[in-house]
Amino acid sequence: MSIVLRNLVKTYGEHTVVDNVSLEIADGELFVLLGASGSGKSTILRMIAGLVPVDSGQVLLHGRDVTDLSPQERNTGFVFQNYSLFQHMTVAENVEFGLQVRKRPQAERVVKRDELLALVGLAGFAGRYPSQLSGGQQQRVAVARALAFEPSVLLLDEPFGALDVKIRGALRRALRDIQRSLRVTTILVTHDQEEAFELADRIGVVDHGRLLEVGPPAELYRRPQHEFVATFVGEANLLGVRSDGGRVRVGELTLPLPVRLAEQDPGIRWAALFRPEELAVAREREELSEPVLGEGVVEEVLDLGAARRLRLRLQPIPGVWPLGRDFGEAGVALLAALPWKPGSDLEFRNGDRVWVGVRGYHLLPRLARTFLILVDGTSGSSEALEQGFRLARAMAASVTLLCVAPTQSAGERIVAELREALARQKPAPAFKLRVGDVVEELAGETAREAYDLVVAPGRSEDVKARLSERIQSEVVAGITSERLVGSSPFPVLVAHGPRPELKRILLCTAAGEPGKLDVFFGGQVARTTGAAATLLFVDGPAFGAVSAEGGDGRAPDAWKRRFWIERHLEQGLQTLAAQGVQAQVSVRQGDALEQILAAAQEGEHDLIVIGGHLVQTWADLPERDLSIELVARADRPVLVVKGSFSR
């Protein structure tokens, strides 16, 4: 193997940029690292080149461990996006630079220079300066310079990103020809899917510092194993589905699970992938020879010359929910690709009713949800465990217990007791022991690992008993709200009080919280637990008043405000319906906090779900965080959804 990476890790402070990456690249292979901006792909490349030090792990080039060697000792050629040519040197001097540093004879330098300039299509340009060249020509010089000293590995970091489309295409073809001619092992970093598919022998998809999947382009496109890969590599219609007896149902379709996966845990989540070209569209159901997915409406026709694409919206499909949808999105949105056929008179227009069939599909397991349950030795920990495990079983999540204690011995005692008490608990938890401040340790853990939900103890009588009345309210509120809820980048369930069952959920909605994540996540909880849901809107200073103002800052007319509230609630109901959750609506007047508490009490709700709501105050006072105030006063579990999670 030309390149072997073993468990590479790179962190900056608490942020992990490269997370345990291992990879093998064969001799002469052109390998592409594909990922979005900030995914960590360029850092991986720079670690291979020696431009960024490795925190842990190994880099081997042609069997030689180069982890601790300087860039000059690794024999790698590197091409940057911004060319990085020496502006005061001619093209000839730029290409010869690496050879000159290595003290190669002038005659050898000239021969190699002319050979490479011819190879990259710049013969006769040796005497020009970079300022006299186009962007594409400068990048060709950069490639020639990187190849001049015959590196064992060529590394290219977004080399065509600054060029226009036509020049990019020409340079891609030139690079592929050069790489095949020289058989130099090459890694190219890009965020451009077309570029990756055109050049790569294999592609590695990177997300949040992790190498999710590696394979030939066609394999990643047709049979991805991760949701992110399915959606990042090409257009994807991705639907969440449930398994039943070794198969899944999507409307009228019954799709068998892959044999190797059918025997796995029945609680596993699945996604059905339909690529646009795998969908058939007809005006009448009888015209389809393929199995029928459903009936819908054409929302947009995109004429791309060689093909047409239709944006469709189907009626809701029982037991199926679209993934990656927007708030208020109704039904099931799909993208279908129709090839152009000579003489075809099949035309579709916006608003046409159509039937959709399926030519092909791929089933992939969804990433298991991960829950973190905080245990701090107080009586509230038992409630966190009870409620956390209940949700974990319903939502097929894995569980990690974070045990935080003031001393190592106390922590070990807590862990030993928990292991014995939870020996038969399903799912079986993993344990992590930390010594120190509860909230600081929680913040450190959630910075290192991603979780779909953090479950924390609520107000504890043990804590109250140890505090004087003077400081009690400040410290207890700090433990359960501002410090804990405010520090977590993920949703937090504060387990106030024992709740033997989860039958009713109160979803507190507003117009201003980011992404309406509380409705999405609350809908997931309702769908998986079978709980009844109520969508609550409080018409007061906290919920929507700022967003509903007119352009001059004055409140709109009453009928306009009523229309705006009804539209917002309709979107919320559509969002829940898309997840298979039918909810009722409640609108109350008055102070938001008091009305939420009253609604929860009157409706006997077992869980309150709220997003990052801010309460409007006087201009000279800071905004109040309604979710933190709710956590401090509620007598039942509160789920605060401020961060990110898997939909």
Side-chain angles (χ1 to χ4, degrees), residues 8 68 160 235 307 341 370 394 420 453 546 559 624 631 645:
L8 286 189
D68 298 320
F160 313 128
E235 298 281 0
K341 295 180 181 179
T370 57
E420 182 178 356
L453 179 67
V546 176
W559 71 269
R624 295 158 47 207
V631 167
F645 60 90

Side-chain angles (χ1 to χ4, degrees), residues 343-361:
S344 172
D345 59 355
L346 185 59
E347 294 290 341
F348 294 99
R349 293 179 175 81
N350 294 354
D352 286 353
R353 297 201 65 81
V354 295
W355 287 88
V356 178
V358 175
R359 297 191 182 101
Y361 68 93

Side-chain angles (χ1 to χ4, degrees), residues 496-573:
H496 287 323
R499 308 299 292 190
E501 294 183 273
L502 183 55
K503 292 184 176 180
R504 288 171 289 275
I505 299 175
L506 184 65
L507 303 176
C508 306
T509 182
E513 78 275 18
K516 314 298 183 293
L517 297 180
D518 49 352
V519 177
F520 280 112
F521 197 52
Q524 282 191 12
V525 175
R527 184 184 73 234
T528 54
T529 61
T534 298
L535 195 62
L536 172 67
F537 186 98
V538 180
D539 188 10
F543 281 13
V546 176
S547 299
E549 286 179 354
D552 58 1
R554 293 179 297 180
D557 297 334
W559 71 269
K560 290 182 180 179
R561 180 166 183 76
R562 238 183 356 259
F563 171 79
W564 174 84
I565 293 173
E566 290 173 359
R567 182 173 178 274
H568 174 72
L569 290 173
E570 181 184 359
Q571 290 177 325
L573 291 175

Side-chain angles (χ1 to χ4, degrees), residues 246-314:
R247 58 190 65 243
V248 300
R249 298 186 184 278
V250 184
E252 299 178 9
L253 302 178
T254 300
L255 311 177
L257 296 176
V259 176
R260 63 185 177 84
L261 298 173
E263 298 178 358
Q264 291 189 13
D265 182 350
I268 194 170
R269 301 188 300 161
W270 297 91
L273 169 65
F274 306 99
R275 294 295 185 188
E277 63 275 12
E278 293 177 326
L279 298 181
V281 182
R283 295 189 186 280
E284 302 295 336
R285 181 188 180 114
E286 294 73 20
E287 297 175 17
L288 290 174
S289 58
E290 299 84 1
V292 174
L293 183 59
E295 184 184 16
V297 176
V298 177
E299 290 193 333
E300 186 178 11
V301 179
L302 305 172
D303 195 338
L304 305 178
R308 281 171 297 165
R309 299 208 169 194
L310 304 182
R311 296 195 186 278
L312 311 168
R313 190 166 302 277
L314 273 60

Side-chain angles (χ1 to χ4, degrees), residues 10-11 30 52 78 91 163 210 251 298 326 336 340 371 404 407 431 487 525 535 552 562 574 600 616 635 647:
K10 183 63 186 178
T11 60
L30 199 162
V52 170
F78 203 103
V91 168
L163 306 173
R210 296 184 178 181
V298 177
D326 295 325
W340 179 82
F371 287 7
V404 183
T407 65
F431 290 84
S487 66
V525 175
L535 195 62
D552 58 1
R562 238 183 356 259
Q574 289 175 343
Q616 185 182 15
D635 61 353
R647 294 184 181 179

Side-chain angles (χ1 to χ4, degrees), residues 124-202:
F125 285 72
R128 298 191 185 184
Y129 286 89
S131 60
Q132 298 173 306
L133 303 177
S134 68
Q137 290 170 334
Q138 290 186 61
Q139 196 60 290
R140 288 172 185 258
V141 174
V143 171
R145 184 179 64 180
L147 293 170
F149 57 89
E150 299 180 355
S152 60
V153 171
L154 178 62
L155 308 174
L156 304 105
D157 190 4
E158 302 267 11
F160 313 128
L163 306 173
D164 64 46
V165 174
K166 187 173 182 179
I167 295 175
R168 254 198 331 258
L171 277 182
R172 285 203 296 259
R173 292 188 291 273
L175 174 65
R176 192 53 167 144
D177 291 341
I178 293 168
Q179 193 272 337
R180 285 174 174 167
S181 172
L182 299 179
R183 294 294 300 166
V184 58
T185 304
T186 302
I187 301 180
L188 181 141
V189 160
T190 184
H191 64 273
D192 188 321
Q193 300 168 35
E194 181 181 342
E195 189 167 285
F197 273 69
E198 183 176 341
L199 291 173
D201 294 317
R202 286 190 304 153

Side-chain angles (χ1 to χ4, degrees), residues 416-481:
E417 292 173 355
L418 286 173
R419 286 187 185 277
E420 182 178 356
L422 302 174
R424 297 185 179 182
Q425 183 65 255
K426 299 295 182 182
F431 290 84
K432 292 187 177 183
L433 173 60
R434 299 285 186 268
V435 176
D437 178 78
V438 173
V439 179
E440 289 181 2
E441 294 303 326
L442 175 63
E445 176 63 23
T446 53
R448 289 184 293 268
E449 298 287 342
Y451 293 95
D452 292 290
L453 179 67
V454 176
V455 184
R459 287 182 297 278
S460 168
E461 295 302 322
D462 293 354
V463 175
K464 289 183 179 180
R466 296 198 298 267
L467 300 174
S468 69
E469 184 176 349
R470 182 176 63 83
I471 64 172
Q472 188 180 105
S473 60
E474 178 183 351
V475 175
V476 173
I479 291 172
T480 60
S481 57

